[in-house]
Amino acid sequence: MGQMKRAALRAIPAVEKVVQALGALPVPRPMVVNLVRRELAQLRKTGKVTSFDEVMEQVKRAVDVLAKSRIQPVINGTGVVIHTNLGRSPLSAEALAEVESTAMGYSNLEFDLSDGRRGSRGVYLEEGLANLCRSEAASVVNNCAAALVLVLRHFTAKKREVVISRGELIQIGGGFRIPEILEASGATLREVGTTNKTSLADYRKALGPETGLVLKVHRSNFFMGGFVESPSTEEIAALAKAKKVPFVEDLGSGAVVATEDVLSRSGGSESPHEPTPAEVLKRGADLVCFSGDKLLGGPQAGIVAGKRKHVQALKKEPFFRALRCDKLVLTALQVTVETYLDADGPPVLKMLGLSEGELTRRAKRLAKKLADCPIKVSVGRGQSQVGGGTMPEAKVDSITLDLVPRKGGLAALASRLRNAEIPVVGYVSGSRLKVDLRTVFPEQDASLMEAIRGAAAE
Ligand SMILES: *Cc1c(COP(=O)(O)O)cnc(C)c1O
């Protein structure tokens, strides 16, 4: 062992020599130097080196992993429209063009062009959002989780308790649990009812002198069937009003149009209705909050809308300053809101509404062009999802390109596709690797074909 280790040590080359031998680097040199240093230290520790080539192979793999971790465009063949791991909602070209022109120079972010004085950030956007939510007022913070924290801190500053149904103490995504958010905000949780049943009487019993807020959380990422019961927004709102306690509903996804209409355009077999901010406010909630980058189809943001006095009070919280959005986000959201008010909405809505006919025509064209490929390419059927923890029960039929390798496994093919110039992420179903065309933009078809050809040739 001692001898082997000494031999190994002699075989460890200098950092400079390794970096030199890598040739053209895909990421900045100092990052590669650091990485090589770490890799060599690792080899020195394990003492498992026999040749320079072996060292180079390991280092190249590490550099490749590092380069792949750079944020970069990906072709989404998963069929999940709002894919949190793939960046949620894609933005429109219009939104991006405006972000570019305002962010590359100066803007009137907090400057009133009418009177030449200091202006207030995002006033126009707030006006547009209020219009979209048919609310007295609206404002924006970094994301819906931030909106929730702000709301909780504000309403439970004096009276500590927040009343919430046990059926709504849910986990929303990677490590985001409603009960933890509530407690991190300094509120005391007052759980009512059971997981499957909560009655209005449960709420009534819990409301007392310590209640600062009644919170309802939309079950956006799962659904319960069977022996379930929970009071309606109207009922809770009436009770909260009678007891003079503010009532907030966290909608999560924030669809501002009738989702059933959008989904039925796609020919979806089940097109549920997602409650809109306007509907929920009309039913009596004092405020609603929802995400900017789920069904709304904009950038990451959290929107609060509802009673003017509450929105204004939230904006006066010192904590609001820590959660405020950047100009890039505000600009992108401004354009997203406008696309609802005077056009046909952002890209996510268009994708959800694509018909099977349109997708089939594209799929056939692609499959025909790929007929000479060494792997089998055919047109298949699949099921897209709304995603983002939104509308789990919606069924959106879709069309896929099905890839079957002639030799080698599906996992190897999937890996080669992820290694393409523009990486492609599909999904495995049975003996096929599927690429759902609903979430692939037509302008990506050429890159998709190139990736498939490349992966097939290897
Ligand atoms: C997604 C979701 C959130 C969190 O939204 P972010 O914008 O990701 O912070 C909060 N509540 C509900 C019900 C959600 O579905």
Side-chain angles (χ1 to χ4, degrees):
M1 177 63 211
Q3 218 174 359
M4 252 179 77
K5 190 129 189 178
R6 268 196 302 281
L9 275 176
R10 269 200 303 279
I12 305 264
V15 173
E16 260 321 301
K17 190 177 167 201
V18 174
V19 175
Q20 208 70 54
L22 281 169
L25 302 175
V27 294
R29 199 169 193 280
M31 294 182 79
V32 176
V33 170
N34 257 355
L35 181 68
V36 170
R37 207 167 271 142
R38 273 205 307 274
E39 288 298 317
L40 294 185
Q42 189 63 30
L43 287 175
R44 207 166 280 129
K45 220 169 18 188
T46 56
K48 274 193 268 162
V49 187
T50 55
S51 68
F52 184 70
D53 287 350
E54 213 176 293
V55 173
M56 286 311 294
E57 210 159 287
Q58 174 161 344
V59 167
K60 270 185 196 148
R61 265 199 305 273
V63 170
D64 192 46
V65 169
L66 176 67
K68 286 239 161 59
S69 68
R70 261 189 107 244
I71 297 177
Q72 56 194 286
V74 157
I75 293 177
N76 176 8
T78 64
V80 180
V81 177
I82 304 164
H83 198 305
T84 298
N85 302 150
L86 301 182
R88 285 205 185 152
S89 296
L91 297 174
S92 65
E94 294 83 357
L96 255 298
E98 203 144 328
V99 168
E100 186 178 333
S101 64
T102 49
M104 276 182 68
Y106 298 100
S107 66
N108 62 340
L109 183 66
E110 290 182 6
F111 183 76
D112 190 331
L113 288 171
S114 314
D115 64 11
R117 284 188 243 215
R118 182 171 200 251
S120 136
R121 182 180 273 250
V123 270
Y124 176 86
L125 170 60
E126 290 178 342
E127 187 69 29
L129 281 168
N131 195 305
L132 203 56
C133 300
R134 287 183 220 122
S135 61
E136 290 176 12
S139 195
V140 192
V141 289
N142 269 323
N143 52 28
C144 188
L148 210 47
V149 172
L150 182 66
V151 160
L152 283 157
R153 285 176 63 102
H154 175 67
F155 289 108
T156 63
K158 292 199 185 83
K159 299 176 180 177
R160 286 273 178 226
E161 281 184 8
V162 50
V163 171
I164 182 170
S165 159
R166 288 201 172 85
E168 295 167 5
L169 294 174
I170 57 176
Q171 170 151 350
I172 287 154
F176 178 70
R177 291 185 165 158
I178 292 284
E180 285 164 10
I181 284 278
L182 302 194
E183 284 181 347
S185 315
T188 307
L189 209 54
R190 183 80 154 84
E191 304 170 27
V192 297
T194 60
T195 303
N196 60 333
K197 281 208 167 208
T198 303
S199 68
L200 195 62
D202 292 328
Y203 280 96
R204 193 177 293 116
K205 266 182 276 172
L207 287 174
E210 279 310 301
T211 312
L213 175 72
V214 177
L215 180 68
K216 186 170 165 59
V217 179
H218 180 55
R219 291 191 202 115
S220 58
N221 56 352
F222 71 107
F223 56 101
M224 291 205 289
F227 193 57
V228 292
E229 179 192 314
S230 58
S232 66
T233 296
E234 283 94 337
E235 289 173 301
I236 302 172
L239 175 67
K241 193 169 178 201
K243 301 268 184 178
K244 297 195 166 52
V245 176
F247 170 42
V248 176
E249 190 158 332
D250 170 14
L251 291 174
S253 65
V256 293
V257 295
T259 45
E260 67 278 20
D261 293 348
V262 176
L263 292 175
S264 68
R265 249 181 275 148
S266 78
S269 45
E270 272 176 52
S271 311
H273 176 75
E274 185 75 5
T276 67
E279 284 163 2
V280 174
L281 290 170
K282 195 163 171 221
R283 287 178 198 148
D286 294 309
L287 285 177
V288 292
C289 57
F290 57 96
S291 287
D293 55 354
K294 289 185 182 169
L295 271 170
L296 187 70
Q300 181 188 301
I303 293 134
V304 274
K307 295 244 166 74
R308 173 167 287 113
K309 66 169 184 190
H310 291 318
V311 173
Q312 276 173 348
L314 287 175
K315 289 185 69 180
K316 288 210 180 83
E317 284 281 336
F319 200 57
F320 180 82
R321 175 62 178 76
L323 304 175
R324 78 174 186 190
C325 293
D326 161 74
K327 61 179 184 253
L328 278 69
V329 168
L330 295 175
T331 308
L333 192 56
Q334 168 178 288
V335 180
T336 306
V337 169
E338 285 176 338
T339 64
Y340 279 101
L341 297 173
D342 68 5
D344 50 358
V348 286
L349 286 194
K350 287 179 203 141
M351 269 191 269
L352 283 169
L354 287 173
S355 73
E356 280 188 67
E358 293 170 82
L359 294 172
T360 305
R361 276 193 293 283
R362 252 177 80 207
K364 282 187 173 156
R365 207 167 51 233
L366 290 173
K368 200 167 150 194
K369 285 190 183 161
L370 289 167
D372 58 343
C373 232
I375 63 170
K376 198 169 150 253
V377 182
S378 58
V379 178
R381 307 190 66 85
Q383 199 116 90
S384 304
Q385 287 166 46
V386 179
T390 301
M391 309 183 72
E393 74 273 49
K395 289 207 168 54
V396 191
D397 299 328
S398 196
I399 298 299
T400 57
L401 268 190
D402 290 4
L403 314 177
V404 181
R406 300 227 192 264
K407 62 177 191 327
L410 284 173
L413 180 62
S415 159
R416 291 199 297 275
L417 281 172
R418 287 198 309 274
N419 271 303
E421 172 103 2
I422 300 184
V424 177
V425 184
Y427 68 98
V428 170
S429 168
S431 59
R432 291 141 190 258
L433 183 69
K434 283 177 167 285
V435 176
D436 189 322
L437 289 185
R438 181 177 300 283
T439 46
V440 178
F441 293 95
E443 51 275 25
Q444 293 177 320
D445 281 353
S447 305
L448 174 62
M449 282 198 290
E450 204 170 300
I452 292 174
R453 277 187 198 289
E458 278 179 51

